[in-house]
Amino acid sequence: MLDAVIRIVAEVGADAVTHRRVAQVADLPLASTTYWFESKEHLLTAALERAADSDIERLHAFIQDAPAVVADPVALAVDAILDPLDESGQAARGSLLATYALLLEAARRPALRAVTRRWTDAYLDALGRLLAQAGSSDPPSDAALLLAAADGLLVENLASGEDAELRGTLRRLGAALVKA
């Protein structure tokens, strides 16, 4: 059911999420969506929690799979952010569209903010540790700058439909941050 919510958000936006539409996309009876989720807010919150939990788990696994001593912590930090793009093109695009649409919904729906904060904090913690290994003098601030730049570039890519060279750009930014 929650995958159906994420698919709807990716395809047409959060405003299109209704119990009826979720049931239709999930190929379930309407009663099943209303039984488990009392409101649209509940559906969106649960979908955001699912997306966040899944991505945080992926992030931790990605970092854990790296060698104990990383030759290029900045490159690993950038790869940790952009790893989901290595999925098939349309799947990665849909996932990113849903992610950013749900993050924007948090600006309108306070119930979503705790989840977005937890999600962001997981990235800031992981990136901060990697940037500290790279020699950053201010890992928390550098992690926030790198993540903000990545988010901005990813949104620009989605909006323009063009694939820019994000890895190189973000690696240059990360290298500049740790030298400063």
Side-chain angles (χ1 to χ4, degrees):
M1 230 181 303
L2 297 177
D3 288 340
V5 174
I6 292 169
R7 202 167 348 161
I8 293 165
V9 170
E11 290 172 6
V12 289
D15 288 342
V17 173
T18 64
H19 283 90
R20 186 172 308 286
R21 186 146 194 188
V22 171
Q24 181 183 25
V25 170
D27 198 26
L28 295 169
L30 177 59
S32 63
T33 63
T34 57
Y35 177 79
W36 291 106
F37 301 99
E38 63 196 33
S39 66
K40 176 179 181 169
E41 183 106 0
H42 193 196
L43 278 166
L44 290 171
T45 302
L48 181 62
E49 286 172 347
R50 179 179 175 87
D53 290 344
S54 175
D55 191 45
I56 290 168
E57 185 178 305
R58 180 214 52 85
L59 174 67
H60 289 152
F62 185 88
I63 300 293
Q64 232 173 4
D65 288 346
V69 177
V70 178
D72 188 350
V74 170
L76 184 62
V78 169
D79 289 347
I81 296 168
L82 299 180
D83 180 58
L85 293 179
D86 292 338
E87 300 173 20
S88 72
Q90 198 56 34
R93 180 175 168 74
S95 177
L96 281 174
L97 280 169
T99 295
Y100 287 118
L102 288 169
L103 289 173
L104 286 172
E105 276 302 303
R108 294 182 203 95
R109 299 174 187 272
L112 301 177
R113 292 184 186 151
V115 179
T116 61
R117 184 76 256 158
R118 182 172 55 84
W119 200 350
T120 299
D121 287 347
Y123 270 90
L124 293 177
D125 178 61
L127 298 177
R129 284 186 278 123
L130 289 168
L131 294 175
Q133 286 180 27
S136 168
S137 62
D138 189 358
S141 293
D142 290 344
L145 283 169
L146 185 62
L147 186 59
D151 281 338
L153 290 168
L154 286 164
V155 168
E156 171 60 29
N157 269 11
L158 289 169
S160 70
E162 298 175 11
D163 287 330
E165 172 42 44
L166 296 179
R167 280 186 209 285
T169 301
L170 291 172
R171 284 179 181 172
R172 285 192 306 280
L173 173 61
L177 289 170
V178 298
K179 286 181 186 175

